[in-house]
Amino acid sequence: MNRTELKQFLDAKVLEYEHPKFLETDPIQIPHKFSRKEDIEISAFLTATIAWGNRKSIIKNANKLMELMGNSPYDYVLEYEVDKTDELSNFVHRTFNGEDLNYFIKSLQNIYVNHNGLESVFAKKSEANSMQTAISEFKKTFFELPHPTRTQKHVSDPLKGSAAKRINMFLRWMVRTNATSVDFGIWDSISPSQLSCPLDVHSGNVGRKLKLLTRKQNDAKALAELDKNLRKLDPLDPVKYDFALFGLGVFEKF
């Protein structure tokens, strides 16, 4: 396919998959339970954090996590006290455990009380065509409090070679328009043009088959290559193609 044909093909797949029925099997259904901005942000961030492995398991555990927080995540974060955390201690999703979760809630409290919330932290170091430096700076802020060393692995750093799939997915959720009732579009200080595609095994494999990607590893260098090629197709909203790449990989076994 030439570029025009590729764009037409992928645009059609975006229309097919960026649809409310997408929510039925995707972890993004969790933040859709909420209407308050802060509840959406926090539930989305925590859901994205555990979004690896079996999707049914991700959704099940994210729902369990919301129940532990009384289905009011923002209030829970603001009222969090370190000595009253027994309800979180038994939470486990793969290698993310209660110790990690307790620090995540404590850090989110710090971000909302002292840094004006998640949007403000991510927007601070955003660049014209990239959020990767901003993600790295976010990690520094997130771990500015005393924390278990093991917990750092649950927030990726693109400047240390990671594709940061889960944070890029979270940013897509927050920033892209809610015109199709899938993403939320609740962050005005970041533009869709700054976002990067959440690169995982599915989007990576499809990207290679479509010659959008040549690098074999799904790392920061591969993400930069994929970003460059998706921006040629749509510089204003390159990450819409996440729906096409993911749908082709997961649902069509492309």
Side-chain angles (χ1 to χ4, degrees), residues 238-253:
V239 185
K240 73 182 184 184
Y241 294 114
D242 181 35
F243 290 99
L245 300 180
F246 184 81
L248 284 164
V250 172
F251 300 119
E252 299 188 36
K253 312 299 181 190

Side-chain angles (χ1 to χ4, degrees), residues 118-127 131 134 187 189-190:
L118 282 167
E119 180 179 3
S120 177
V121 178
F122 276 105
K124 191 177 296 182
K125 295 289 184 177
S126 64
E127 298 170 313
M131 289 297 297
W187 285 9
S189 55
I190 299 169

Side-chain angles (χ1 to χ4, degrees), residues 99-149:
E99 183 180 27
D100 303 316
L101 178 56
N102 269 299
Y103 180 75
F104 265 62
I105 303 301
K106 181 169 72 170
S107 182
L108 285 167
Q109 183 183 70
N110 177 54
I111 283 172
Y112 280 91
V113 172
N114 297 311
H115 294 281
N116 201 31
L118 282 167
E119 180 179 3
S120 177
V121 178
F122 276 105
K124 191 177 296 182
K125 295 289 184 177
S126 64
E127 298 170 313
N129 282 315
S130 176
M131 289 297 297
Q132 303 316 293
T133 298
I135 293 171
S136 182
E137 290 296 319
F138 165 77
K139 181 168 185 175
K140 293 177 186 175
T141 301
F142 195 79
F143 288 107
E144 69 182 12
L145 305 176
H147 59 274
T149 302

